[in-house]
Amino acid sequence: MTVLYITGLSGSGTSTLLEELKREGMETVDLDEGFTEQVPMAGGGYEWLLIEEKVAALLAAERSTPLIMAGCCRNQGKFADQVDAVVLLRAKPDIMLKRVAERTTNPYGKTPEEREEILHNWEHVLPLLEKSADLIIDTDDLSPADVRSVILHTFLPSS
């Protein structure tokens, strides 16, 4: 059964894509919900990492429908060989900031510090995500339905 890992920075459209695919009958899992933990960093501060045992159990489970997971953590690469494809959703910084400012489903990105973090991640994290992605979808000018269509036609043509 097909397993996809959707990744992208805040405001790129990952959560919206999960909702679109869920409506298509796919098993979707937002890894930010119960599959991550905040851990201290060596130089101070904290970061969110996947709880590897929980993700491994999710991947090992039997299923009859495709699994679409979404998240963005430094340790996500540990699962790249267990998924059929890693899909990166990408957007320009101004688009991402507009989306996080307008969304009502997630409070992240509303404070000046969080918005600075998004811009920092766009500059420093996005290039790393681009290197590890099997497919990159620019979501700037695409509707959620358009992005869903790309995923369905590329990876799940019989859906």
Side-chain angles (χ1 to χ4, degrees):
M1 193 53 52
T2 301
V3 178
L4 300 179
Y5 193 108
I6 310 295
T7 191
L9 302 176
S10 292
S12 63
T14 56
S15 297
T16 302
L17 175 60
L18 281 186
E19 287 302 314
E20 288 282 323
L21 292 169
K22 188 176 192 175
R23 282 194 286 276
E24 291 288 328
M26 306 292 155
E27 178 185 0
T28 62
V29 177
D30 183 342
L31 295 172
D32 289 343
E33 305 295 326
F35 288 85
T36 58
E37 62 185 342
Q38 199 173 34
V39 298
M41 295 187 317
Y46 291 88
E47 70 176 325
W48 289 95
L49 292 177
L50 293 172
I51 303 170
E52 294 177 14
E53 299 79 21
K54 287 186 81 170
V55 176
L58 175 66
L59 289 167
E62 294 285 326
R63 61 187 34 86
S64 59
T65 61
L67 170 64
I68 318 296
M69 306 182 304
C72 188
C73 292
R74 184 173 48 82
N75 62 337
Q76 71 189 39
K78 292 187 177 188
F79 301 99
D81 63 340
Q82 297 174 54
V83 300
D84 294 298
V86 175
V87 178
L88 170 63
L89 303 186
R90 177 175 66 186
K92 293 176 184 159
D94 59 320
I95 300 288
M96 292 175 13
L97 292 175
K98 181 178 185 292
R99 289 175 180 169
V100 298
E102 293 174 352
R103 69 182 172 191
T104 58
T105 57
N106 183 337
Y108 180 78
K110 306 287 191 225
T111 69
E113 296 80 14
E114 291 169 342
R115 295 172 72 76
E116 282 300 316
E117 183 175 43
I118 290 169
L119 294 173
H120 177 271
N121 289 341
W122 192 86
E123 187 175 340
H124 298 284
V125 176
L126 184 61
L128 301 173
L129 295 173
E130 290 170 339
K131 289 179 184 177
S132 63
D134 297 303
L135 175 67
I136 299 172
I137 302 173
D138 287 309
T139 64
D140 294 331
D141 299 318
L142 296 177
S143 71
D146 291 337
V147 179
R148 179 194 68 222
S149 182
V150 170
I151 295 295
L152 292 175
H153 289 103
T154 304
F155 298 106
L156 307 161
S158 61
S159 297

